[in-house]
Amino acid sequence: MAFIKYLLILLSVVFTHAIYALQPDVLLAKVYDESKHGNIENYLVSEKFDGVRAIWTGDKFVTRKGNAINAPSWFTEALPQVWLDGELWIKRNNFARVSGIVRTKIPNNHDWQSVAYQVFDMPDPSIPFSTRYQNYSQLVEKLNLPHIKAVKQHSFNSLQSLTSYFKGVTTQGAEGVMLHLASAKYKSGRSDALLKLKPYLDAEAVVIEHLPGKGKYQGMLGAIKVKTSDGQEFKIGTGFSDVQRKSPPLIGSTVTYRYHGLTKNGLPRFASFLRVREPL
């Protein structure tokens, strides 16, 4: 009997771990295309925060990949038993710092004091985003906590007014803007219900080769050769600091790069290294 009891406990632990490790079903953004998404008045628009996306499951934070985020108890104790979607964020152009804080297994209370949870959705498949926006705004207002913020959504009736807002926030260092289709009910996966508009595009690829530098980069990295998930291979030779050229991203690591559209051959135009993607 003791052995059976132990086995049941073990199975329970394994099953629970498997459930927590499952990748949550979240809404993912497509890229805004003026020719396809011209009806700006149908969208609610907000700043795109360069932080770590965090899903509050009702009892813990997890990443898009389903990995646990170890936040301090004071940070989460007042959050309700409802599903929230948002971004753990410090301030503009501070992604590396917040990523380091969030990836720490044992949370540092002092570091987390600078982090805010920017709530941008309260997923519910039965109601449109316009109502979900009202719901999460009211929830955050009721919580009245300095580290829990409701992302403000804006309405625009023309492309010109959207462009003005976009230029305003990106000039101040914002990563871009997000467009939520106001009438869309929540559905996981990549969808036209959520669009991103950035001054540049970014994507990920795996490092497959280091190419030696020449001239002032003699003895250092000249470029990395990368491979995308659909098998495309190309070189990235800009965006690296001298420190990164002396100690380049490891072969097999995943990097994020930025680019400006595609060439006639379908390859990223003006690809530039942005950062190594840390596992989350």
Side-chain angles (χ1 to χ4, degrees):
M1 289 294 293
F3 174 75
I4 294 175
K5 183 177 181 180
Y6 170 78
L7 184 61
L8 290 173
I9 293 173
L10 180 62
L11 288 173
S12 175
V13 170
V14 171
F15 178 75
T16 300
H17 176 77
I19 290 295
Y20 288 168
L22 288 176
Q23 185 171 329
D25 293 328
V26 295
L27 177 62
L28 301 174
K30 288 187 175 182
V31 175
Y32 171 77
D33 183 334
E34 182 181 341
S35 65
K36 297 178 182 177
H37 313 115
N39 297 322
I40 298 304
E41 64 274 14
N42 295 334
Y43 292 86
L44 292 173
V45 183
S46 63
E47 178 177 338
K48 186 180 190 304
F49 295 94
D50 54 342
V52 175
R53 189 169 184 180
I55 294 88
W56 174 250
T57 66
D59 63 356
K60 65 183 179 298
F61 279 124
V62 297
T63 68
R64 269 181 51 190
K65 300 296 184 181
N67 297 319
I69 294 174
N70 300 303
S73 58
W74 60 264
F75 195 95
T76 62
E77 61 188 3
L79 289 174
Q81 294 181 345
V82 296
W83 187 282
L84 297 173
D85 201 350
E87 201 93 359
L88 292 169
W89 187 75
I90 296 177
K91 62 180 181 179
R92 293 164 178 162
N93 299 310
N94 259 237
F95 175 81
R97 184 182 173 200
V98 71
S99 177
I101 292 172
V102 167
R103 288 186 292 107
T104 303
K105 297 298 182 185
I106 300 176
N108 182 301
N109 281 320
H110 179 266
D111 289 343
W112 275 86
Q113 292 286 346
S114 62
V115 178
Y117 185 43
Q118 300 279 357
V119 180
F120 55 66
D121 205 345
M122 192 171 174
D124 184 331
S126 66
I127 55 178
F129 179 72
S130 56
T131 304
R132 303 202 306 272
Y133 170 45
Q134 295 175 6
N135 289 349
Y136 78 68
S137 298
Q138 292 169 3
L139 173 64
V140 171
E141 183 179 8
K142 184 178 180 180
L143 287 173
N144 192 29
L145 296 171
H147 61 283
I148 309 297
K149 309 286 187 181
V151 174
K152 183 175 178 56
Q153 303 290 336
H154 304 269
S155 297
F156 301 109
N157 57 16
S158 70
L159 181 59
Q160 289 74 19
S161 48
L162 170 64
T163 300
S164 177
Y165 173 71
F166 173 77
K167 288 182 177 178
V169 294
T170 54
T171 298
Q172 296 175 48
E175 189 180 26
V177 300
M178 303 298 294
L179 294 84
H180 282 269
L181 186 61
S183 61
K185 294 181 180 178
Y186 191 88
K187 184 178 180 181
S188 63
R190 207 164 293 280
S191 169
D192 285 331
L194 180 62
L195 306 170
K196 57 184 175 183
L197 174 60
K198 302 169 70 172
Y200 57 85
L201 301 173
D202 61 43
E204 295 178 345
V206 176
V207 180
I208 58 175
E209 187 179 349
H210 292 156
L211 303 175
K214 299 177 182 179
K216 69 175 182 178
Y217 296 135
Q218 186 74 37
M220 294 189 289
L221 176 76
I224 57 174
K225 190 174 184 180
V226 299
K227 187 174 185 178
T228 64
S229 59
D230 57 4
Q232 289 184 314
E233 297 182 9
F234 57 93
K235 301 173 185 177
I236 302 175
T238 61
F240 301 100
S241 66
D242 286 349
V243 172
Q244 290 166 333
R245 290 188 183 278
K246 293 175 182 177
S247 181
L250 297 176
I251 302 293
S253 64
T254 299
V255 298
T256 302
Y257 61 92
R258 62 176 57 175
Y259 65 104
H260 298 269
L262 301 175
T263 67
K264 62 181 180 180
N265 297 320
L267 296 176
R269 187 189 302 276
F270 308 127
S272 175
F273 173 79
L274 188 58
R275 56 178 172 260
V276 176
R277 191 195 74 184
E278 299 291 347
L280 284 172

